[in-house]
Amino acid sequence: MQQKVQLYIGPQLACYGFGEGHPFGPDRMDAFWQETLRQGLDKRVSIGAPVMAERQAIERFHTPEYVDRVIACSESGAGYLDYGDTPAFKGIYEAAATVVGTVLAAAEEAINGTHKRCFIPIAGLHHARRNMAAGFCAFNDAGVLIETLRSQHNTQRIAYVDIDAHHGDGVFYAFEDDPDLCFVDIHEDGAHLYPGTGFSDETGKGSAKGSKLNLPMRPGANDADFLKAWPEAQTFIRAFKPEFIIFQCGVDSIEGDPITDMRFTPQSHAHAAAALCHIADKFSQSRIIALGGGGYNRTNLATAWNAVLKQMCDC
Ligand SMILES: [Zn+2]
């Protein structure tokens, strides 16, 4: 039987990490994959190989000056790409370009290939801006994906849905005035957590007013809070009728994450994944790409990412 889902896995993708012992370490992909094997989900998906993006593709979103800076820092392996959150390491350019290239390969697959649903665990680096890194994110793969869908795939109306504990500020502010980017973000209230943005009155600018939905949650928000918030998100996305769905399913919103205060369980992530697959089936020719996003508790990351993957296979 033809598999519905393509999962992107490979050592080149795991390389995007800031060293052993760092919350965003290179061991994250394998922690996820071991659980995929344990649950036998590997037999229910096709496996796609990581691909490194061309510089030209990265520059659909990022400025050439910033790309030059990442290349220079990648060669020296020293210093920070921002003001102290995102350290450079030797090869960070190749690693970050591989995250981007793999997401773009998944989009190509969802549009022209046989797998309409794709999952990339090491991706969803939603804090990077067009001209700078931020919060462990060198290149914003979601931002490059949005620009690529528009310029290369004639796909304008895109829904970006983000349930990472942190607000997806790098995506939000890059497309704040873009009415064709439906942005929905459930996150820990910016008054309590980095990056300190994503308030409910941030609904888009100019002609894009009303195309963005920020749903900040109290610290300690649980599955009941998620289920209370979700219907508004779902109605908002359905009303927009997206041609393509990007799901940033960051799992640092699960209870026990070392750097946030949220208390969802993987059931929240599974619920969102199932709902978004149904919306994609109805409006987007089934095209949906899930990006792993944040998540620093290795057990949570293994269970919640696999919960998303299982829903993508099942529903
Ligand atoms: Zn996060």
Side-chain angles (χ1 to χ4, degrees), residues 217-281:
M217 313 286 276
R218 66 178 172 88
N222 57 24
D223 282 351
D225 296 302
F226 181 86
L227 289 174
K228 215 171 352 160
W230 181 256
E232 186 182 356
Q234 192 169 301
T235 303
F236 193 85
I237 302 158
R238 290 181 75 95
F240 179 78
K241 298 186 173 62
E243 295 173 86
F244 196 100
I245 297 179
I246 304 168
F247 178 32
Q248 203 274 22
C249 60
V251 295
D252 46 12
S253 46
I254 305 276
E255 177 164 18
D257 191 87
I259 69 171
T260 85
D261 316 293
M262 304 279 275
R263 292 197 182 157
F264 297 163
T265 76
Q267 284 182 26
S268 286
H269 289 63
H271 186 85
L276 292 174
C277 283
H278 289 137
I279 296 174
D281 285 347

Short mmCIF file of all heavy atoms in Angstrom, two decimals, residues 217-281:
data_model
loop_
_atom_site.label_atom_id
_atom_site.label_comp_id
_atom_site.label_asym_id
_atom_site.label_seq_id
_atom_site.Cartn_x
_atom_site.Cartn_y
_atom_site.Cartn_z
N MET A 217 -1.26 31.91 26.09
CA MET A 217 -1.78 31.08 27.17
C MET A 217 -1.06 31.42 28.47
O MET A 217 0.12 31.77 28.47
CB MET A 217 -1.53 29.59 26.88
CG MET A 217 -1.90 29.13 25.49
SD MET A 217 -3.66 28.99 25.23
CE MET A 217 -3.96 27.38 25.91
N ARG A 218 -1.75 31.20 29.59
CA ARG A 218 -1.12 31.44 30.89
C ARG A 218 0.00 30.42 31.11
O ARG A 218 -0.07 29.30 30.58
CB ARG A 218 -2.17 31.32 32.00
CG ARG A 218 -2.70 29.90 32.13
CD ARG A 218 -3.71 29.73 33.26
NE ARG A 218 -4.29 28.38 33.18
CZ ARG A 218 -3.76 27.30 33.76
NH1 ARG A 218 -2.67 27.39 34.50
NH2 ARG A 218 -4.34 26.11 33.62
N PRO A 219 1.03 30.79 31.90
CA PRO A 219 2.02 29.77 32.27
C PRO A 219 1.28 28.63 32.98
O PRO A 219 0.36 28.89 33.75
CB PRO A 219 2.95 30.51 33.25
CG PRO A 219 2.73 31.96 32.99
CD PRO A 219 1.31 32.10 32.50
N GLY A 220 1.65 27.41 32.72
CA GLY A 220 0.97 26.26 33.34
C GLY A 220 -0.26 25.80 32.60
O GLY A 220 -0.97 24.90 33.04
N ALA A 221 -0.55 26.40 31.44
CA ALA A 221 -1.72 25.99 30.65
C ALA A 221 -1.63 24.50 30.31
O ALA A 221 -0.55 23.99 29.98
CB ALA A 221 -1.79 26.82 29.37
N ASN A 222 -2.78 23.80 30.40
CA ASN A 222 -2.80 22.35 30.20
C ASN A 222 -3.67 21.96 29.00
O ASN A 222 -4.11 22.82 28.25
CB ASN A 222 -3.27 21.66 31.49
CG ASN A 222 -4.65 22.16 31.92
OD1 ASN A 222 -5.42 22.64 31.10
ND2 ASN A 222 -4.94 22.05 33.20
N ASP A 223 -3.93 20.66 28.86
CA ASP A 223 -4.72 20.19 27.71
C ASP A 223 -6.12 20.81 27.69
O ASP A 223 -6.66 21.09 26.61
CB ASP A 223 -4.85 18.66 27.74
CG ASP A 223 -3.59 17.97 27.26
OD1 ASP A 223 -2.68 18.65 26.75
OD2 ASP A 223 -3.52 16.73 27.40
N ALA A 224 -6.70 20.99 28.87
CA ALA A 224 -8.05 21.58 28.92
C ALA A 224 -8.01 22.99 28.34
O ALA A 224 -8.90 23.40 27.59
CB ALA A 224 -8.57 21.59 30.36
N ASP A 225 -6.97 23.75 28.68
CA ASP A 225 -6.82 25.11 28.13
C ASP A 225 -6.62 25.04 26.62
O ASP A 225 -7.16 25.86 25.87
CB ASP A 225 -5.63 25.82 28.77
CG ASP A 225 -5.83 26.04 30.26
OD1 ASP A 225 -6.81 26.69 30.64
OD2 ASP A 225 -5.00 25.53 31.05
N PHE A 226 -5.83 24.07 26.19
CA PHE A 226 -5.59 23.93 24.75
C PHE A 226 -6.90 23.64 24.02
O PHE A 226 -7.21 24.26 23.01
CB PHE A 226 -4.57 22.81 24.48
CG PHE A 226 -4.27 22.65 23.01
CD1 PHE A 226 -3.30 23.42 22.40
CD2 PHE A 226 -4.99 21.75 22.23
CE1 PHE A 226 -3.05 23.30 21.05
CE2 PHE A 226 -4.75 21.62 20.88
CZ PHE A 226 -3.77 22.40 20.29
N LEU A 227 -7.66 22.68 24.56
CA LEU A 227 -8.91 22.28 23.89
C LEU A 227 -9.93 23.42 23.88
O LEU A 227 -10.77 23.49 23.00
CB LEU A 227 -9.49 21.04 24.56
CG LEU A 227 -8.70 19.75 24.29
CD1 LEU A 227 -9.25 18.59 25.10
CD2 LEU A 227 -8.68 19.41 22.79
N LYS A 228 -9.84 24.30 24.87
CA LYS A 228 -10.72 25.46 24.91
C LYS A 228 -10.32 26.48 23.82
O LYS A 228 -11.17 27.11 23.20
CB LYS A 228 -10.61 26.12 26.30
CG LYS A 228 -11.94 26.68 26.71
CD LYS A 228 -12.13 27.17 28.06
CE LYS A 228 -11.52 27.22 29.25
NZ LYS A 228 -11.51 27.84 30.37
N ALA A 229 -9.01 26.60 23.59
CA ALA A 229 -8.52 27.59 22.62
C ALA A 229 -8.62 27.07 21.18
O ALA A 229 -8.80 27.86 20.25
CB ALA A 229 -7.06 27.93 22.94
N TRP A 230 -8.49 25.78 21.00
CA TRP A 230 -8.32 25.22 19.65
C TRP A 230 -9.48 25.50 18.68
O TRP A 230 -9.24 25.82 17.51
CB TRP A 230 -8.01 23.72 19.72
CG TRP A 230 -7.81 23.16 18.36
CD1 TRP A 230 -8.69 22.40 17.65
CD2 TRP A 230 -6.68 23.38 17.48
NE1 TRP A 230 -8.19 22.12 16.41
CE2 TRP A 230 -6.96 22.71 16.28
CE3 TRP A 230 -5.48 24.08 17.61
CZ2 TRP A 230 -6.07 22.72 15.20
CZ3 TRP A 230 -4.61 24.10 16.54
CH2 TRP A 230 -4.89 23.42 15.35
N PRO A 231 -10.74 25.38 19.11
CA PRO A 231 -11.83 25.59 18.14
C PRO A 231 -11.75 26.95 17.43
O PRO A 231 -12.03 27.04 16.22
CB PRO A 231 -13.10 25.48 18.98
CG PRO A 231 -12.69 24.61 20.12
CD PRO A 231 -11.26 24.97 20.41
N GLU A 232 -11.34 27.99 18.15
CA GLU A 232 -11.21 29.31 17.51
C GLU A 232 -10.14 29.26 16.43
O GLU A 232 -10.33 29.80 15.32
CB GLU A 232 -10.87 30.37 18.57
CG GLU A 232 -10.87 31.77 17.98
CD GLU A 232 -10.47 32.86 19.00
OE1 GLU A 232 -10.26 32.55 20.19
OE2 GLU A 232 -10.34 34.02 18.56
N ALA A 233 -9.02 28.58 16.74
CA ALA A 233 -7.94 28.43 15.76
C ALA A 233 -8.45 27.69 14.53
O ALA A 233 -8.23 28.10 13.38
CB ALA A 233 -6.77 27.67 16.40
N GLN A 234 -9.15 26.61 14.77
CA GLN A 234 -9.62 25.76 13.68
C GLN A 234 -10.62 26.50 12.78
O GLN A 234 -10.52 26.43 11.55
CB GLN A 234 -10.29 24.54 14.32
CG GLN A 234 -10.57 23.45 13.34
CD GLN A 234 -10.98 22.18 14.06
OE1 GLN A 234 -10.22 21.65 14.87
NE2 GLN A 234 -12.16 21.70 13.79
N THR A 235 -11.54 27.23 13.39
CA THR A 235 -12.53 27.99 12.62
C THR A 235 -11.83 29.04 11.77
O THR A 235 -12.17 29.26 10.60
CB THR A 235 -13.52 28.68 13.59
OG1 THR A 235 -14.10 27.66 14.39
CG2 THR A 235 -14.60 29.45 12.86
N PHE A 236 -10.82 29.67 12.35
CA PHE A 236 -10.04 30.72 11.67
C PHE A 236 -9.34 30.16 10.43
O PHE A 236 -9.38 30.75 9.35
CB PHE A 236 -9.02 31.26 12.68
CG PHE A 236 -8.33 32.53 12.29
CD1 PHE A 236 -8.93 33.76 12.55
CD2 PHE A 236 -7.08 32.52 11.69
CE1 PHE A 236 -8.28 34.95 12.22
CE2 PHE A 236 -6.43 33.69 11.36
CZ PHE A 236 -7.03 34.91 11.62
N ILE A 237 -8.74 28.99 10.57
CA ILE A 237 -7.99 28.39 9.46
C ILE A 237 -8.97 27.92 8.36
O ILE A 237 -8.74 28.14 7.18
CB ILE A 237 -7.14 27.19 9.94
CG1 ILE A 237 -6.17 27.62 11.04
CG2 ILE A 237 -6.36 26.58 8.78
CD1 ILE A 237 -5.68 26.50 11.93
N ARG A 238 -10.07 27.31 8.78
CA ARG A 238 -11.06 26.82 7.80
C ARG A 238 -11.64 27.98 6.99
O ARG A 238 -11.81 27.88 5.78
CB ARG A 238 -12.19 26.07 8.50
CG ARG A 238 -11.78 24.75 9.09
CD ARG A 238 -12.98 24.07 9.75
NE ARG A 238 -13.86 23.52 8.75
CZ ARG A 238 -13.84 22.26 8.33
NH1 ARG A 238 -12.97 21.42 8.85
NH2 ARG A 238 -14.66 21.85 7.41
N ALA A 239 -11.91 29.08 7.67
CA ALA A 239 -12.51 30.24 6.99
C ALA A 239 -11.55 30.80 5.93
O ALA A 239 -11.97 31.36 4.92
CB ALA A 239 -12.86 31.31 8.00
N PHE A 240 -10.25 30.62 6.15
CA PHE A 240 -9.23 31.15 5.24
C PHE A 240 -9.08 30.29 3.97
O PHE A 240 -8.63 30.77 2.93
CB PHE A 240 -7.90 31.24 6.01
CG PHE A 240 -6.74 31.73 5.21
CD1 PHE A 240 -6.57 33.08 4.94
CD2 PHE A 240 -5.80 30.84 4.71
CE1 PHE A 240 -5.49 33.53 4.20
CE2 PHE A 240 -4.71 31.27 3.97
CZ PHE A 240 -4.55 32.63 3.71
N LYS A 241 -9.44 29.02 4.08
CA LYS A 241 -9.33 28.07 2.96
C LYS A 241 -7.91 28.04 2.36
O LYS A 241 -7.69 28.43 1.20
CB LYS A 241 -10.35 28.39 1.85
CG LYS A 241 -11.80 28.31 2.29
CD LYS A 241 -12.73 28.49 1.09
CE LYS A 241 -14.18 28.27 1.40
NZ LYS A 241 -14.75 29.21 2.41
N PRO A 242 -6.96 27.56 3.13
CA PRO A 242 -5.56 27.59 2.67
C PRO A 242 -5.30 26.61 1.53
O PRO A 242 -5.93 25.56 1.45
CB PRO A 242 -4.77 27.18 3.91
CG PRO A 242 -5.72 26.35 4.71
CD PRO A 242 -7.09 26.94 4.46
N GLU A 243 -4.33 26.97 0.68
CA GLU A 243 -3.89 26.05 -0.38
C GLU A 243 -2.78 25.13 0.13
O GLU A 243 -2.41 24.16 -0.55
CB GLU A 243 -3.32 26.85 -1.56
CG GLU A 243 -4.31 27.73 -2.29
CD GLU A 243 -3.58 28.59 -3.31
OE1 GLU A 243 -3.38 28.12 -4.44
OE2 GLU A 243 -3.20 29.72 -2.96
N PHE A 244 -2.21 25.48 1.27
CA PHE A 244 -1.08 24.70 1.80
C PHE A 244 -1.04 24.97 3.31
O PHE A 244 -1.27 26.10 3.74
CB PHE A 244 0.23 25.16 1.14
CG PHE A 244 1.38 24.21 1.31
CD1 PHE A 244 1.74 23.34 0.27
CD2 PHE A 244 2.12 24.18 2.48
CE1 PHE A 244 2.80 22.47 0.42
CE2 PHE A 244 3.19 23.29 2.64
CZ PHE A 244 3.54 22.44 1.60
N ILE A 245 -0.72 23.94 4.11
CA ILE A 245 -0.65 24.13 5.57
C ILE A 245 0.75 23.78 6.07
O ILE A 245 1.30 22.73 5.74
CB ILE A 245 -1.71 23.27 6.30
CG1 ILE A 245 -3.12 23.71 5.87
CG2 ILE A 245 -1.55 23.39 7.82
CD1 ILE A 245 -4.25 22.90 6.52
N ILE A 246 1.29 24.70 6.87
CA ILE A 246 2.56 24.47 7.57
C ILE A 246 2.23 24.37 9.05
O ILE A 246 1.61 25.28 9.61
CB ILE A 246 3.54 25.64 7.33
CG1 ILE A 246 3.77 25.85 5.83
CG2 ILE A 246 4.87 25.39 8.05
CD1 ILE A 246 4.49 27.18 5.52
N PHE A 247 2.63 23.28 9.68
CA PHE A 247 2.31 23.05 11.09
C PHE A 247 3.61 23.00 11.88
O PHE A 247 4.38 22.05 11.76
CB PHE A 247 1.55 21.73 11.22
CG PHE A 247 1.19 21.31 12.62
CD1 PHE A 247 0.92 22.24 13.62
CD2 PHE A 247 1.11 19.96 12.94
CE1 PHE A 247 0.58 21.84 14.91
CE2 PHE A 247 0.76 19.55 14.23
CZ PHE A 247 0.51 20.49 15.21
N GLN A 248 3.90 24.04 12.65
CA GLN A 248 5.07 24.04 13.52
C GLN A 248 4.62 23.44 14.84
O GLN A 248 3.93 24.08 15.63
CB GLN A 248 5.61 25.48 13.69
CG GLN A 248 7.08 25.57 14.08
CD GLN A 248 7.35 25.49 15.56
OE1 GLN A 248 6.54 24.99 16.33
NE2 GLN A 248 8.50 25.99 15.99
N CYS A 249 4.97 22.15 15.06
CA CYS A 249 4.43 21.42 16.22
C CYS A 249 5.46 21.34 17.34
O CYS A 249 5.70 20.27 17.89
CB CYS A 249 3.95 20.04 15.80
SG CYS A 249 5.23 18.99 15.07
N GLY A 250 6.07 22.47 17.69
CA GLY A 250 7.07 22.50 18.77
C GLY A 250 6.54 21.85 20.03
O GLY A 250 5.39 22.08 20.43
N VAL A 251 7.38 21.03 20.65
CA VAL A 251 6.92 20.25 21.81
C VAL A 251 7.50 20.78 23.13
O VAL A 251 7.43 20.10 24.15
CB VAL A 251 7.24 18.75 21.61
CG1 VAL A 251 6.44 18.20 20.44
CG2 VAL A 251 8.72 18.50 21.36
N ASP A 252 8.00 22.01 23.11
CA ASP A 252 8.41 22.62 24.38
C ASP A 252 7.19 23.14 25.15
O ASP A 252 7.33 23.67 26.25
CB ASP A 252 9.47 23.72 24.18
CG ASP A 252 9.14 24.67 23.05
OD1 ASP A 252 8.00 24.65 22.54
OD2 ASP A 252 10.05 25.45 22.67
N SER A 253 5.99 22.96 24.56
CA SER A 253 4.76 23.30 25.28
C SER A 253 4.23 22.11 26.10
O SER A 253 3.18 22.20 26.71
CB SER A 253 3.70 23.78 24.28
OG SER A 253 3.63 22.92 23.16
N ILE A 254 4.99 20.99 26.12
CA ILE A 254 4.60 19.80 26.90
C ILE A 254 5.16 19.93 28.32
O ILE A 254 6.27 20.42 28.51
CB ILE A 254 5.17 18.52 26.24
CG1 ILE A 254 4.74 18.42 24.77
CG2 ILE A 254 4.79 17.29 27.04
CD1 ILE A 254 3.42 17.82 24.49
N GLU A 255 4.39 19.44 29.29
CA GLU A 255 4.83 19.52 30.70
C GLU A 255 6.19 18.85 30.90
O GLU A 255 6.41 17.74 30.44
CB GLU A 255 3.78 18.83 31.59
CG GLU A 255 4.21 18.83 33.05
CD GLU A 255 3.08 18.51 34.01
OE1 GLU A 255 2.04 17.96 33.56
OE2 GLU A 255 3.24 18.84 35.19
N GLY A 256 7.07 19.57 31.61
CA GLY A 256 8.38 19.01 31.91
C GLY A 256 9.49 19.55 31.01
O GLY A 256 10.63 19.12 31.11
N ASP A 257 9.15 20.49 30.14
CA ASP A 257 10.21 21.08 29.32
C ASP A 257 11.11 21.94 30.22
O ASP A 257 10.61 22.67 31.07
CB ASP A 257 9.62 21.94 28.19
CG ASP A 257 10.70 22.34 27.19
OD1 ASP A 257 10.95 21.56 26.26
OD2 ASP A 257 11.33 23.40 27.39
N PRO A 258 12.43 21.87 30.01
CA PRO A 258 13.32 22.63 30.92
C PRO A 258 13.30 24.14 30.73
O PRO A 258 13.77 24.85 31.62
CB PRO A 258 14.71 22.06 30.59
CG PRO A 258 14.60 21.48 29.23
CD PRO A 258 13.17 21.00 29.10
N ILE A 259 12.77 24.66 29.62
CA ILE A 259 12.87 26.12 29.44
C ILE A 259 11.52 26.83 29.30
O ILE A 259 11.48 28.01 29.01
CB ILE A 259 13.82 26.50 28.28
CG1 ILE A 259 13.25 26.13 26.91
CG2 ILE A 259 15.19 25.89 28.45
CD1 ILE A 259 14.06 26.70 25.74
N THR A 260 10.40 26.13 29.50
CA THR A 260 9.10 26.81 29.46
C THR A 260 8.26 26.38 30.67
O THR A 260 8.70 25.55 31.46
CB THR A 260 8.29 26.48 28.18
OG1 THR A 260 7.56 25.27 28.38
CG2 THR A 260 9.18 26.35 26.96
N ASP A 261 7.05 26.93 30.77
CA ASP A 261 6.17 26.64 31.91
C ASP A 261 4.85 26.00 31.50
O ASP A 261 3.90 26.00 32.26
CB ASP A 261 5.86 27.94 32.66
CG ASP A 261 7.10 28.79 32.83
OD1 ASP A 261 7.99 28.37 33.56
OD2 ASP A 261 7.18 29.87 32.20
N MET A 262 4.78 25.53 30.26
CA MET A 262 3.51 25.00 29.77
C MET A 262 3.31 23.56 30.23
O MET A 262 4.26 22.86 30.57
CB MET A 262 3.50 25.05 28.24
CG MET A 262 3.72 26.42 27.67
SD MET A 262 2.24 27.41 27.70
CE MET A 262 1.50 26.87 26.16
N ARG A 263 2.05 23.10 30.24
CA ARG A 263 1.75 21.76 30.73
C ARG A 263 0.82 20.97 29.80
O ARG A 263 -0.03 20.23 30.27
CB ARG A 263 1.12 21.86 32.12
CG ARG A 263 2.10 22.35 33.15
CD ARG A 263 1.59 22.06 34.54
NE ARG A 263 2.51 22.59 35.51
CZ ARG A 263 2.19 22.89 36.75
NH1 ARG A 263 0.94 22.73 37.18
NH2 ARG A 263 3.09 23.35 37.58
N PHE A 264 0.97 21.15 28.50
CA PHE A 264 0.22 20.29 27.58
C PHE A 264 0.76 18.86 27.71
O PHE A 264 1.87 18.65 28.20
CB PHE A 264 0.41 20.73 26.12
CG PHE A 264 -0.11 22.10 25.77
CD1 PHE A 264 0.31 22.73 24.61
CD2 PHE A 264 -1.01 22.76 26.59
CE1 PHE A 264 -0.16 23.98 24.25
CE2 PHE A 264 -1.49 24.02 26.24
CZ PHE A 264 -1.05 24.64 25.08
N THR A 265 -0.03 17.88 27.23
CA THR A 265 0.49 16.53 27.02
C THR A 265 0.54 16.31 25.50
O THR A 265 0.00 17.11 24.74
CB THR A 265 -0.42 15.45 27.65
OG1 THR A 265 -1.57 15.28 26.82
CG2 THR A 265 -0.85 15.81 29.08
N PRO A 266 1.13 15.21 25.06
CA PRO A 266 1.17 14.95 23.60
C PRO A 266 -0.22 14.87 22.98
O PRO A 266 -0.35 14.99 21.76
CB PRO A 266 1.91 13.61 23.51
CG PRO A 266 2.82 13.62 24.70
CD PRO A 266 2.01 14.27 25.79
N GLN A 267 -1.25 14.71 23.80
CA GLN A 267 -2.62 14.67 23.25
C GLN A 267 -3.01 15.97 22.57
O GLN A 267 -3.77 15.96 21.60
CB GLN A 267 -3.62 14.34 24.35
CG GLN A 267 -3.58 12.86 24.72
CD GLN A 267 -4.61 12.49 25.77
OE1 GLN A 267 -5.63 13.17 25.90
NE2 GLN A 267 -4.33 11.45 26.51
N SER A 268 -2.53 17.09 23.10
CA SER A 268 -2.82 18.38 22.44
C SER A 268 -2.22 18.39 21.05
O SER A 268 -2.86 18.82 20.08
CB SER A 268 -2.25 19.54 23.26
OG SER A 268 -3.03 19.77 24.41
N HIS A 269 -0.98 17.91 20.94
CA HIS A 269 -0.31 17.89 19.64
C HIS A 269 -1.01 16.93 18.68
O HIS A 269 -1.17 17.24 17.50
CB HIS A 269 1.17 17.53 19.83
CG HIS A 269 1.94 18.65 20.48
ND1 HIS A 269 1.67 19.11 21.75
CD2 HIS A 269 2.93 19.44 19.99
CE1 HIS A 269 2.47 20.13 22.02
NE2 HIS A 269 3.25 20.34 20.98
N ALA A 270 -1.44 15.79 19.20
CA ALA A 270 -2.16 14.82 18.35
C ALA A 270 -3.48 15.42 17.87
O ALA A 270 -3.86 15.28 16.70
CB ALA A 270 -2.40 13.53 19.14
N HIS A 271 -4.17 16.12 18.77
CA HIS A 271 -5.46 16.72 18.43
C HIS A 271 -5.29 17.74 17.30
O HIS A 271 -6.04 17.72 16.31
CB HIS A 271 -6.04 17.39 19.68
CG HIS A 271 -7.42 17.93 19.48
ND1 HIS A 271 -8.54 17.17 19.64
CD2 HIS A 271 -7.85 19.16 19.13
CE1 HIS A 271 -9.62 17.90 19.39
NE2 HIS A 271 -9.23 19.12 19.08
N ALA A 272 -4.29 18.60 17.44
CA ALA A 272 -4.04 19.62 16.41
C ALA A 272 -3.65 18.96 15.09
O ALA A 272 -4.12 19.36 14.01
CB ALA A 272 -2.95 20.58 16.87
N ALA A 273 -2.80 17.94 15.16
CA ALA A 273 -2.33 17.27 13.93
C ALA A 273 -3.51 16.66 13.17
O ALA A 273 -3.62 16.81 11.95
CB ALA A 273 -1.30 16.20 14.27
N ALA A 274 -4.38 15.98 13.88
CA ALA A 274 -5.53 15.33 13.23
C ALA A 274 -6.44 16.38 12.59
O ALA A 274 -6.85 16.25 11.43
CB ALA A 274 -6.30 14.49 14.25
N ALA A 275 -6.72 17.44 13.34
CA ALA A 275 -7.60 18.49 12.83
C ALA A 275 -7.01 19.14 11.59
O ALA A 275 -7.70 19.39 10.59
CB ALA A 275 -7.84 19.54 13.92
N LEU A 276 -5.70 19.41 11.61
CA LEU A 276 -5.07 20.08 10.47
C LEU A 276 -5.00 19.16 9.25
O LEU A 276 -5.15 19.62 8.11
CB LEU A 276 -3.68 20.58 10.85
CG LEU A 276 -3.68 21.73 11.87
CD1 LEU A 276 -2.26 22.06 12.30
CD2 LEU A 276 -4.37 22.98 11.32
N CYS A 277 -4.81 17.86 9.47
CA CYS A 277 -4.82 16.92 8.32
C CYS A 277 -6.20 16.93 7.68
O CYS A 277 -6.31 16.90 6.45
CB CYS A 277 -4.45 15.51 8.77
SG CYS A 277 -2.68 15.31 9.04
N HIS A 278 -7.25 17.00 8.48
CA HIS A 278 -8.61 17.04 7.93
C HIS A 278 -8.85 18.34 7.14
O HIS A 278 -9.43 18.33 6.06
CB HIS A 278 -9.66 16.88 9.03
CG HIS A 278 -9.70 15.49 9.58
ND1 HIS A 278 -9.79 15.21 10.94
CD2 HIS A 278 -9.63 14.29 8.96
CE1 HIS A 278 -9.78 13.89 11.11
NE2 HIS A 278 -9.68 13.31 9.93
N ILE A 279 -8.37 19.45 7.69
CA ILE A 279 -8.53 20.72 6.98
C ILE A 279 -7.74 20.68 5.66
O ILE A 279 -8.22 21.13 4.62
CB ILE A 279 -8.08 21.91 7.86
CG1 ILE A 279 -8.98 22.02 9.10
CG2 ILE A 279 -8.11 23.22 7.06
CD1 ILE A 279 -8.54 23.06 10.11
N ALA A 280 -6.54 20.11 5.71
CA ALA A 280 -5.72 20.00 4.49
C ALA A 280 -6.43 19.12 3.46
O ALA A 280 -6.42 19.43 2.26
CB ALA A 280 -4.34 19.44 4.82
N ASP A 281 -7.06 18.04 3.92
CA ASP A 281 -7.79 17.17 2.98
C ASP A 281 -8.91 17.94 2.29
O ASP A 281 -9.19 17.75 1.12
CB ASP A 281 -8.39 15.96 3.72
CG ASP A 281 -7.33 14.93 4.08
OD1 ASP A 281 -6.20 15.02 3.54
OD2 ASP A 281 -7.62 14.04 4.91
#
